[in-house]
Amino acid sequence: MASKARLNRPPVQGHSEIDRGATMVYGPDPSSDLHRSNPRLFMTESPALPKSRQQLILAVLMLCSLLIWLDNTVLSTTLETLADPVRGLDASPAGLQWATGSYTLAFATLMFTAGALGDRFGHRTVLVTGLVIFAGSSLWAAYASDAGQLISARAAMGVGGALITPATMAILMWTFTGPARATAIAAFSTSAGVGMAVGPVLAGLLLDHFWWGSVFLINVPVVALALVGIAVLVPNFRSPVLRPLDPAGMVLSVSGLAALAYGLIHAGQVAAWGRTDVWAPIAAGLVLLAAFVCVELRIKAPGFDPRLLVQRTFGGGNAALGLLLFAVAAVTFYNAFYLQGARGFSPMEAGLASLPTALGAILGAPLGARLVRRWSLRPVAAPALTAAALTMGAYGFLGLRTPLLWIEILLLVQGLAIGMVIGPVTAALINSLPLERAGAGSAVTNTVRQAGSVIGIAVGGTILSIAYRSAIEPSLSDVPGPAQDQARVSAEQARHVATAIHRPALAHAADDAFLHAMHVGAAWIMLVALFGAAVLVAALRPAGKPAGLVQEPAHDRDTSRTEAAPG
């Protein structure tokens, strides 16, 4: 009994175990019936750390989160440079799709396992491991000699990111309690907005003055600073109840998504859907993902619980978010090549031109939450998602001489609409679940969002490649054979060929072909996002009382359910 008493007693300020950064386990006796029935209720017990130390821990966690958000945004500004045969890696469209998608794929499929690792080995241990992996793979990416090495390095960065994200939120939840926790989460969430705003501009600045690898190399000193702060300030919190690691689910989800993405991206490389090497991996991916769902249904405490998706509000809302993130990933991929390739913006100019999207998202989230409190979720989120879809369709009207002001207005409205959807809908979905299911619900929501991004990059890039090849073909009849093959790959390659063989008309034809392809892709992306809006309307359909109505929850109830991830 004495050992149990020591376990249950929270440490006092200045306790020697805190100063040593020892592993600390808090909560009631793990063998008790109360704890077994609802272990998540006791995650809110936290050590009485001094307020100044809590604030310093929050600053360190925000730095870790900023690192992830910066990396999510800098790559889009770097894509055009990576495609350049002289200044970059001569990466094909498929290579660039994989450079973006490999990170997101690893992040999506490993994140729900990372929380269980934190419970078992301590969240600080997992956070440090993730940061070390992230820094090492950033070095690898910075000095990659070809697209294949970059893709592998980006996948390793995704592994690091998957360990970092849930660990930072878990440490925040342990460090703060009560109203202070709500304030800390609000401050923590600002790192996403800062990363979205600073990332493209920082990437543009680095690319204008250094080689492309500098956008990855900048991660290393940030990680070093974070590791020092963690070593000095952060205790090694862990849960008294261990969650299973679910290795079978992890393997099936990774292999299923990878096979599906491979088939979709390969269709763009060969410009055909009916070939065996296209539909076979797509079919295999779908079978593996179906097996993943079956395995998770048979596990008592799965990392990804498909049962939650059967609920109309939760399942439909997540489907709508996945479709929105699909569209966002695809249109972001297009925008990078439009601004720098077709319009000829420098990386810095393109980064500055992208700022309205980040500004809109930053303003849209609190605006959406305020409107939801007044009118409920459905009349706010569904029109906002529809508006976001229409702004994506408006890319079909962009040309080589579209005034920059109109582009900036379009991006601002798009960011506002997306911000008004993602934050309020995510909060409503998690709050629609019982408290003991909130952790599982957060894992499902984060995984669906990231999976939507992976498939969006694959499908959006493939539509762009197929439509471009069809449009550029008539302009290649009098171009030498080897140059024809290179010009068919992408508009970036065609411009390079045009310069080498002194045919400016080919460069103009490449710009026109790219614009045609972007217009075709934008129409499909708009339809996907509009379908997401329709799904959201159905999911939030009133049933007795308005479904998905967001109320002002108590601080402990609201914040104990919040597990944000970049998305």
Side-chain angles (χ1 to χ4, degrees):
M1 294 297 294
S3 63
K4 291 182 180 180
R6 285 194 296 271
L7 178 66
N8 293 323
R9 186 177 65 242
V12 296
Q13 294 186 10
H15 193 281
S16 60
E17 283 194 339
I18 293 179
D19 292 336
R20 291 197 304 270
T23 298
M24 290 185 278
V25 184
Y26 297 98
D29 179 7
S31 65
S32 69
D33 291 339
L34 181 61
H35 201 297
R36 280 199 304 268
S37 65
N38 201 352
R40 191 172 172 80
L41 285 174
F42 304 103
M43 293 280 295
T44 57
E45 299 296 329
S46 61
L49 294 170
K51 185 174 181 180
S52 59
R53 183 168 177 181
Q54 288 181 331
Q55 298 304 317
L56 289 173
I57 290 174
L58 177 60
V60 172
L61 298 179
M62 290 177 67
L63 184 64
C64 296
S65 177
L66 179 64
L67 181 73
I68 299 298
W69 281 100
L70 281 174
D71 187 74
N72 283 342
T73 54
V74 297
L75 185 63
S76 61
T77 307
T78 315
L79 291 175
E80 178 72 24
T81 303
L82 291 172
D84 190 280
V86 177
R87 296 180 299 127
L89 292 177
D90 194 17
S92 67
L96 297 175
Q97 286 171 270
W98 275 115
T100 306
S102 63
Y103 174 95
T104 311
L105 190 152
F107 191 95
T109 53
L110 298 179
M111 191 165 56
F112 57 80
T113 301
L117 290 173
D119 292 343
R120 188 175 297 267
F121 300 109
H123 295 294
R124 184 185 67 180
T125 300
V126 171
L127 178 58
V128 168
T129 303
L131 287 169
V132 170
I133 292 174
F134 199 88
S137 51
S138 295
L139 276 171
W140 184 11
Y143 293 100
S145 58
D146 56 45
Q149 289 189 23
L150 178 62
I151 291 166
S152 300
R154 288 286 298 165
M157 291 174 72
V159 173
L163 296 176
I164 292 169
T165 298
T168 54
M169 182 54 68
I171 291 170
L172 185 148
M173 301 291 282
W174 280 100
T175 302
F176 296 90
T177 187
R181 181 184 291 167
T183 303
I185 289 176
F188 180 81
S189 66
T190 62
S191 60
V194 172
M196 289 173 61
V198 172
V201 178
L202 176 62
L205 181 66
L206 292 171
L207 291 170
D208 277 354
H209 294 86
F210 305 100
W211 99 112
W212 61 265
S214 60
V215 302
F216 300 112
L217 203 61
I218 195 67
N219 293 333
V220 177
V222 178
V223 168
L225 181 60
L227 288 174
V228 171
I230 291 167
V232 174
L233 298 167
V234 180
N236 198 19
F237 304 113
R238 65 180 176 86
S239 172
V241 173
L242 303 183
R243 284 183 281 168
L245 295 180
D246 192 12
M250 183 178 66
V251 171
L252 286 171
S253 60
V254 170
S255 56
L257 266 181
L260 180 61
Y262 173 82
L264 294 170
I265 292 173
H266 191 58
Q269 292 178 280
V270 299
W273 291 99
R275 292 175 41 156
T276 304
D277 55 353
V278 171
W279 63 259
I282 292 175
L286 293 174
V287 170
L288 288 168
L289 290 175
F292 164 67
V293 171
C294 292
V295 167
E296 297 302 288
L297 287 172
R298 297 171 67 90
I299 296 176
K300 185 177 180 180
F304 179 96
D305 191 350
R307 301 172 189 87
L308 296 175
L309 295 174
V310 177
Q311 303 176 28
R312 188 188 69 187
T313 299
F314 188 81
N318 272 290
L321 286 178
L323 291 168
L324 173 60
L325 268 294
F326 173 106
V328 169
V331 83
T332 301
F333 192 76
Y334 291 4
N335 193 46
F337 296 106
Y338 170 68
L339 291 177
Q340 293 186 57
R343 295 298 296 264
F345 287 16
S346 71
M348 185 65 176
E349 290 170 339
L352 291 171
S354 300
L355 275 178
T357 305
L359 178 61
I362 294 169
L363 297 176
L367 175 61
R370 196 170 296 116
L371 293 175
V372 165
R373 283 195 292 269
R374 176 176 297 181
W375 292 326
S376 84
L377 183 62
R378 193 184 191 212
V380 174
L385 182 45
T386 302
L390 295 176
T391 63
M392 295 169 187
Y395 276 66
F397 298 97
L398 297 182
L400 296 177
R401 295 175 180 82
T402 303
L404 181 59
L405 177 62
W406 290 114
I407 298 174
E408 300 300 276
I409 293 173
L410 177 66
L411 295 178
L412 177 63
V413 174
Q414 185 178 104
L416 274 169
I418 293 170
M420 291 174 66
V421 175
I422 292 179
V425 171
T426 301
L429 295 182
I430 300 302
N431 279 316
S432 71
L433 299 174
L435 182 61
E436 66 272 13
R437 305 300 294 148
S442 179
V444 169
T445 297
N446 287 325
T447 302
V448 169
R449 286 164 55 176
Q450 297 297 327
S453 296
V454 172
I455 299 172
I457 293 166
V459 174
T462 292
I463 293 173
L464 188 71
S465 294
I466 292 176
Y468 167 78
R469 288 191 182 192
S470 174
I472 194 66
E473 195 64 39
S475 303
L476 301 179
S477 57
D478 59 343
V479 175
Q484 281 189 17
D485 295 335
Q486 191 174 356
R488 286 190 187 100
V489 173
S490 67
E492 287 70 35
Q493 295 285 347
R495 295 185 196 106
H496 178 69
V497 168
T499 301
I501 64 176
H502 307 291
R503 293 202 181 184
L506 178 59
H508 295 312
D511 290 338
D512 292 338
F514 170 80
L515 286 175
H516 167 77
M518 184 179 74
H519 294 166
V520 171
W524 283 104
I525 293 169
M526 178 185 68
L527 292 176
V528 169
L530 286 175
F531 180 62
V535 170
L536 187 62
V537 168
L540 301 180
R541 186 177 70 251
K545 62 179 181 178
L549 182 63
V550 177
Q551 300 175 347
E552 191 70 42
H555 284 300
D556 279 348
R557 174 178 168 83
D558 182 52
T559 56
S560 65
R561 295 174 176 223
T562 306
E563 293 183 19

